[in-house]
Amino acid sequence: MASWTRRAALAMGGMLMAGEALAEDAFGFRLEAIEGGPLDLGQWRGRPMLVVNTASFCGFTPQYAGLQKLYETYRPRGLVVLGVPSQDFNQESADNATVKAFCDATYQVEFPMTGLMHVRGPETHPFFRFLSDRGGGPPRWNFHKYLVARDGRTVHGFRSQVGPDTPALVQAIETALAAAAS
């Protein structure tokens, strides 16, 4: 009887987790913008999106400069770069305003950013659960990247060590931009 109860509880938990996401693709999520208020990813439906979990006090933090350059270079062709600050690795400020001020002052970040979010562990946001399920697993560290294709369902993950100017990432972005919109 105990094993049936445990299985039922696990199944219920799985349904709740699946029910949280309910989005059929990455563009079906609504997040909080770093400035406050809603950030509807549906506004970028049909555009490739590079989602990066970020942190202000990490050895990879200088990647902000490369992400901004990618955004400036490929935005006219449709690429969206989305920064997602997270304190999951204990290297981020405690509030959105401080994160935004740092990004603005230090790296002149113009690409959209979400509010602080859990990207791994038991409190993982459903958006990051969606990305990790389709893009090779959860982030192991800050500046993990997920390239979401135009269809919003195809996701390719890139580890933190893959910088914004790494040929493999640039080629994947070029390929995603060249793909026909569905």
Side-chain angles (χ1 to χ4, degrees):
M1 186 66 143
S3 68
W4 180 87
T5 306
R6 184 171 181 268
R7 279 185 288 183
L10 289 172
M12 274 295 254
M15 284 189 275
L16 290 175
M17 281 197 224
E20 284 179 310
L22 291 184
E24 64 183 50
D25 62 40
F27 302 112
F29 288 91
R30 288 177 55 107
L31 310 173
E32 178 188 348
I34 197 164
E35 304 86 359
L39 179 63
D40 184 357
L41 301 187
Q43 67 184 305
W44 300 309
R45 184 170 301 284
R47 294 171 62 181
M49 181 169 54
L50 183 66
V51 181
V52 186
N53 72 297
T54 61
S56 301
F57 307 109
C58 174
F60 293 113
T61 300
Q63 287 190 19
Y64 268 123
L67 294 170
Q68 179 60 33
K69 185 173 180 180
L70 277 178
Y71 183 66
E72 291 169 3
T73 301
Y74 293 107
R75 180 182 181 195
R77 292 181 48 201
L79 180 70
V80 175
V81 174
L82 180 64
V84 181
S86 178
Q87 176 59 338
D88 286 352
F89 301 100
N90 301 313
Q91 294 186 321
E92 186 54 274
S93 297
D95 66 88
N96 292 335
T98 304
V99 174
K100 181 165 176 33
F102 171 81
C103 291
D104 291 350
T106 310
Y107 294 102
Q108 296 74 49
V109 168
E110 295 175 359
F111 53 83
M113 294 185 69
T114 72
L116 285 157
M117 182 184 300
H118 288 287
V119 300
R120 70 177 195 148
E123 296 180 69
T124 301
H125 189 281
F127 178 57
F128 259 80
R129 192 174 305 119
F130 176 93
L131 294 172
S132 68
D133 286 351
R134 288 161 181 78
R140 293 183 181 165
W141 199 247
N142 301 307
F143 289 86
H144 187 94
K145 297 151 198 78
Y146 293 102
L147 181 60
V148 179
R150 291 181 186 277
D151 67 5
R153 291 182 180 94
T154 306
V155 180
H156 185 82
F158 294 88
R159 297 181 71 183
S160 306
Q161 295 81 356
V162 176
D165 59 350
T166 301
L169 178 59
V170 172
Q171 181 58 51
I173 290 169
E174 290 279 352
T175 300
L177 289 166
S182 48

